[in-house]
Amino acid sequence: MLQVPFIRDNKAAVIQRLAKRGLDASKMIDDVITLDEKRRSIQTELDNTLAESNTISKQIGGLFKSGKVEEANALKAKTGELKETSKTLTEELNEASNDLQDLLFQIPNVPHESVPTGNSEEDNEEVFNWGDIPTLHEGALPHWELAKKYDIIDFELGNKITGAGFPVYKGKGAKLQRALITYFLDKNAEAGYTEYQLPLLVNEASGIGTGQLPDKEGQMYHVTEDNLYLIPTAEVPGTNIFRNTVLNESDLPIGITGYTPCFRREAGSYGAHVRGLNRLHQFDKVEIIRVEHPEKSYEALDGMVNHVKTILEALKLPYRILKLCGGDTSFASALTYDFEVFSTAQNRWLEVSSVSNFETFQANRLKLRYKNANGKNELAHTLNGSSLALPRILAGILENYQVADGVEIPEVLQAYTGFNKI
């Protein structure tokens, strides 16, 4: 959530940078400033009314002590009027504050200055690529056909048990999935991230804290009776560890990692591009999360990008990195880099990681602060990245490592799987 003083002091720049998302925020920004002025005016009037009421209350006590009962009773009538005024002003203040917060919840983060202007993935900017795309043998198959041929992932069984988008991993497919999870966690731990095992359901405050709620696109599964939400990513419970927290500056930076299943409704997704593992309602992901000093968060973002690079290069999967344009950047992010692995059998790029800096946007919602050297509380910066999302990594391995008589296992995973070929 953007801070009101920041909006007020940088109105033109905020509107200009939000335009990178294809959003004309002029009216919303004007409304924020108007509502904030209204809220502050009511607050001032309420403060003055309460102060006057307190002053008169003290006078009444003195008048009663000196026997001036008639004057005291007259002032008591005045305090009654002031109490009614205070009650009305409090209601008006709460209404104005709620209206302001509701409006702020609708405004996305301001994109970083380097974010390209654009409205769709066609406007994203490729900033790096690595690896040679392998030449496959004649008759090479897409991963969903390989999964069926070698009986390692059963999409039909998942459809029977739950529905489309909930695959069942079997035998060496399940072992390969588990190997990838462990390998990713080990690599993250080696890079200094502390491993956490996190809840898979979160409360409403957690969803609001990281920007998933209000869920305008209806992508989260909601357990209505308990008002809990299945997590769309470990970012939500992981970042909410620090909700309503004041850290010491010496605590920074903080890095955590965690594996979780993730749940997304993917409402409106359809077509050939969602076949197999390309888009699921339940999938596994290993996440890295950082809490950083504002002056060091973009250096940390570069470090996270380089970390994900080393994992993909160890797996020897050809990949590219995109700097997302404003229209393709998530609601809460200021700057996002997407990693895409090339799916040789499908002849297309598959997103396997997003690495983002949210600056103070999440921290403001979370009330996540640190105490600086002068003892003043300041908002921290939050960052997160997939390290990595498993479905499309698994798809990339199956397709790029396939040979005529099976699928070879990347060398770095063989100690984890216990086999070198499917």
Side-chain angles (χ1 to χ4, degrees), residues 12-45:
V14 168
I15 293 171
Q16 182 181 17
R17 285 165 64 181
L18 285 172
K20 286 176 175 280
R21 294 181 176 271
L23 174 66
D24 181 0
S26 303
K27 185 178 186 309
M28 285 195 293
I29 297 304
D30 283 340
D31 288 347
V32 165
I33 293 171
T34 299
L35 276 170
D36 181 53
E37 289 173 349
K38 178 181 179 181
R39 181 191 62 79
R40 289 193 294 166
S41 175
I42 296 170
Q43 183 70 67
T44 299
E45 188 177 354

Side-chain angles (χ1 to χ4, degrees), residues 360-372:
T360 61
F361 191 84
Q362 290 182 334
N364 192 30
R365 288 176 171 232
L366 294 161
K367 302 293 186 287
L368 166 54
R369 295 149 293 173
Y370 70 95
K371 197 173 292 291
N372 67 19

Side-chain angles (χ1 to χ4, degrees), residues 120 231 280 421:
S120 68
I231 63 167
L280 302 175
K421 195 173 186 179

Side-chain angles (χ1 to χ4, degrees), residues 199-207 220 227-232 236-237 240:
L200 305 185
L201 290 97
V202 293
N203 56 31
E204 188 173 53
S206 293
M220 295 178 75
N227 196 28
L228 297 174
Y229 294 82
L230 276 72
I231 63 167
V236 183
N240 272 277

Side-chain angles (χ1 to χ4, degrees), residues 249-250 252-253 290-304 357 359 370 380-383:
E249 191 168 8
S250 59
L252 303 176
R290 298 190 70 85
V291 180
E292 287 282 347
H293 191 286
E295 294 178 2
K296 298 180 179 178
S297 68
Y298 279 96
E299 180 183 343
L301 181 67
D302 291 341
M304 294 170 75
N357 189 346
E359 296 185 355
Y370 70 95
H381 279 196
T382 61
L383 305 90

Side-chain angles (χ1 to χ4, degrees), residues 125 157 329 385:
E125 177 186 334
L157 183 56
T329 300

Side-chain angles (χ1 to χ4, degrees), residues 82 198 303 354:
L82 290 172
L198 298 161
S354 289

Side-chain angles (χ1 to χ4, degrees), residues 166-284:
F166 295 88
V168 174
Y169 299 86
K170 303 165 61 178
K172 287 186 175 181
K175 287 185 178 180
L176 178 54
Q177 182 88 337
R178 177 158 49 89
L180 282 164
I181 292 167
T182 307
Y183 176 65
F184 293 157
L185 287 171
D186 285 352
K187 294 297 288 184
N188 296 344
E190 288 171 13
Y193 292 89
T194 301
E195 183 177 346
Y196 279 69
Q197 190 169 8
L198 298 161
L200 305 185
L201 290 97
V202 293
N203 56 31
E204 188 173 53
S206 293
I208 290 172
T210 45
Q212 278 71 27
L213 293 176
D215 183 12
K216 290 182 287 186
E217 297 179 356
Q219 295 294 352
M220 295 178 75
Y221 285 101
H222 186 203
V223 184
T224 53
E225 188 169 342
D226 300 307
N227 196 28
L228 297 174
Y229 294 82
L230 276 72
I231 63 167
T233 165
E235 168 200 344
V236 183
T239 310
N240 272 277
I241 290 170
F242 306 101
R243 176 156 47 92
N244 296 324
T245 299
V246 179
L247 302 166
N248 293 316
E249 191 168 8
S250 59
D251 295 329
L252 303 176
I254 297 172
I256 73 171
T257 185
Y259 152 69
T260 64
C262 302
F263 305 88
R264 297 182 188 175
R265 293 186 61 242
E266 295 291 358
S269 297
Y270 60 90
H273 67 288
V274 302
R275 290 195 66 180
L277 298 172
N278 288 350
R279 187 159 295 175
L280 302 175
H281 294 304
Q282 177 182 325
F283 60 94
D284 293 324

